[in-house]
Amino acid sequence: MKKRILFPLVLLLVLISMSQAWAQNLTVTGRVTGASGAALPGVTVLQRGTTNGTSTDGEGRYSIAVPGTATLVFSAVGQVSQQIAVNGRTNLDVRLSESQSELNEVVVTGSRATEGRSNILTTSPVDVISAREIKAFAQTDVSQILTYVAPSFQSSRQAVSDGTDHVDPASLRGLGPDQVLVLVNGKRRHTSALVNINGTVGRGSVGTDLNVIPNASIKRIEVLRDGAAAQYGSDAIAGVINIQLKDDSTGVQASSTVGQTYESDGRLYQADANVGLGLGGRGYVDVSGQFSNRGYTNRSGIDTTPLIYLGSGGTYPSSANTEDKRRALKAEDDALVAKNGFDRKDMRVGQSESRNYGGFLNSAYRLAPSIGLEAYLSGGITHRTGKAAGFTRLPNQPTQIDLGLYPNGFLPFINTTINDQSFIVGLRAKVAGFDADLSNTFGRNEIQFDITNTLNASLPLGTSPTEFYAGQIAFRQNTTNLNFTRRFTDVASLSTLNVAFGGEFRSDNYQIEAGEEGSYVNGGRVVVPASGTTPATFAAAGAQVFPGYQPSDALNKSRTNIAGYIDLESDLTEKLLVGAAGRAERYSDFGGNVSGKLSARYSILPDVAIRGTLGNGFRAPSLQQRYFTNTSTQFVSGVPQQVLTVSNDNPVVRNQFTDTPKGFGVSSLKQEKSTNYSLGLTARLFKTGTLTVDAYRINIRDRIVLSSQFARSGVATGTVDQILASYPEIGRVQFFANAIDTRTHGVDVVFNERLTFGESRVGFTAAANFNETKVRKVRSSSTIDNAPVTATQNLQNTLFDRQQRNRIESAQPRNKINLTANYGYKIFNVEVRTVRFGEVQYKDADPARSFIDQTFSAKWVTDLTVTAQVLKELGITFGVNNIFNVYPDKFIANPRNNPLNFSVDPTTSYSSSLDNTNRGRIVYNPNQFGYNGGFYFVRVVVALPTN
């Protein structure tokens, strides 16, 4: 590993020593034009870091003497400034774009060109979210900010879903959390250690925890809405999110936000600060820190189970066989509820509580300005604790409770401790005319699980602890890059040619650490019915709500990959920009992949252009998907089941049914492969507005999913029973497989307008995303295909059931519209934003239960803020998010799910399984915008200059 890092470092230093000749002075001439191609007179041309400068004449021409390694800064009122490296050139023509809004800044994501372009001049669509927009409203998590600002991005907080309560799953263009690549300062960021194995959007995927990055450290966020695996590697099927850390701040800026929901919960206390320091004109240091304390919310309903203390598991015993007997038993139970003070609102369904401490550093220093040698360092440390509830255990659930410890039942909690560390260190220099960049990026994410207010019901009565260390998971990644970039202006007949090439070496490591013994052990306690009749049953093993990782689950797995790429971009003419990129990768655990991309932009009119891309990409299976294994106790229809999540390499998955031991015959995991197509239109309207419309199609083959649970039939000759013969304690099994092919198509529309009237400022943004994903094929195995179909089993449906299909096709909004308007006058600014979240659907896994399917209608959520810059150093914002207190549609409750239903007729008697409310306690679907309701807040911002 050390040799792989030292070799490119030595090579870079040798090449640097050859580049001294570039430091001599030369005369650079050129012409500066605007976006339409017209000359721009009076543009300031300045050698960066000096007072050496000039300006353009009436024809936009200039002449300046500078070193060959200098960087020129071109700036003018109403234009977006550009910084361009001379790279020994004597002629340098520049085109500036008009500065209209933050969403049209110069961007760097999606192109490796040495000179950035406005997002309406790029070949691929890129959104830019500025620091001002990040601070405009009350959202303090990056994933929530992007959800409300970028229509193609979607993330909503989940509830009662184990670790997913603490790491929000997110998607871009309707695809999975692991199909979008996250960069920080243009460098790959590590993913979370968590694999989502519960019934949420993104089930089976591994995403990046965006919320560990403090808002105060962010200069802007660039969202590339286009496949980019050929440029950046694995995961960039849907696009790329590049978080640019602050590198230009000066002085100290601090802010504090306090708020709560209309229901007086979910209280937020947040404070952050940023300090920017210059280093004598040769560099900068930017330090940011953030503290956030977020309270939980609870939007659960009233438990409809008839019995809390009596009966078995909340239902009537067989002896209560008349309505009068049930009424009497219910009255007796209600008296116990009143006596013991039991609250039938016995669950906590809403956002988890969270406390976050984080700090980030971003810095650079020019070691040898004459040759452009610069060292840079950035990194961050985040410590976040969280607490989320599971399902309540009632006092009449004997297999899950010890009445000596919890006479009134208990609500167990999953407590997480997330530690995240990252750093980027590197050198930049001029090498033989190229911008050379050698970097090493390290990241680690660790999640520890501690379960409280719980017990292990299988231990002898009175002996179980009430809290457990349930283990931890960790993911580590180290990436070394060496990149070279150069812009040529005199290659054949080409107007410009940007050449970029380089290589990457990456190593990944994934670990699972077992919890303490009591968190997973089966103590063997037998529960005998109160009547003394048989059959007796075993109590549930492991910590209730989250059994700990067992020693058999523990692992430490690693892999490496090496990649090389080339990226070409050329202004063939003043009207036509084309790009081509290719990348080859080789993974140590599954093989290699080659991907490519072609892109172009053509100006059909001075202010109107068409653009498009064509490419193929891939996503490597994550280590978590390859190796995660876990055994847990889950209750299915009130009966405890040992559920095994087994790695794809296990014989249970890989063996054919004819082998010994028998298996499902599923192939080993391989990369997902994609093809991406896009076609768009960009236009500048009336000199003050911009419009972009981009249509796209993304085909993905061999998409990785987590299967549904294959259950024993109870017959020894059953297919699943034979496969699980060597696991007598296991009742159900699930695993990862390249099981489906999907097609996603859609369109993005973004319009911006910025106007100034004297001291008044008006801005308007309208943005929308419309997308649709369809599962086109399910890939199975001969064992699964040939298994007999019975009244209770269909293995083909189990591999990828209709609920899984729904999560991919319809569980998230298939369209989203964002309308934002702001008005500023003197010290005041008013901002209004309304977002329309499209409809979502729920579908049950069992086709026979399609009667509980439900469509949740689209909703508009409106936010309002008013800001006053009271002093130059002090600003105050008052605001309300979701000002009209909008909630999603409620789950439809079946009339039989009623605690006052005393019927003894099996067709009309009490049943909680005929709807999705879980005994009335789950009220809302979280997948549109959550269900916290209205939230009001105040924010104070203080800015102090440094002396």
Side-chain angles (χ1 to χ4, degrees), residues 222-258:
E222 298 179 358
V223 182
L224 170 64
R225 296 178 271 116
D226 195 25
Q231 297 163 292
Y232 299 105
S234 175
D235 304 348
I237 288 178
V240 176
I241 297 173
N242 184 17
I243 298 175
Q244 296 283 106
L245 301 179
K246 287 181 178 177
D247 58 6
D248 58 355
S249 62
T250 57
V252 178
Q253 184 178 82
S255 73
S256 180
T257 303
V258 178

Side-chain angles (χ1 to χ4, degrees), residues 407-427:
N408 297 308
F410 63 94
L411 180 65
F413 292 99
I414 300 174
N415 302 268
T416 58
T417 301
I418 301 176
N419 288 305
D420 192 279
Q421 308 94 31
S422 63
F423 71 79
I424 305 169
V425 60
L427 290 172

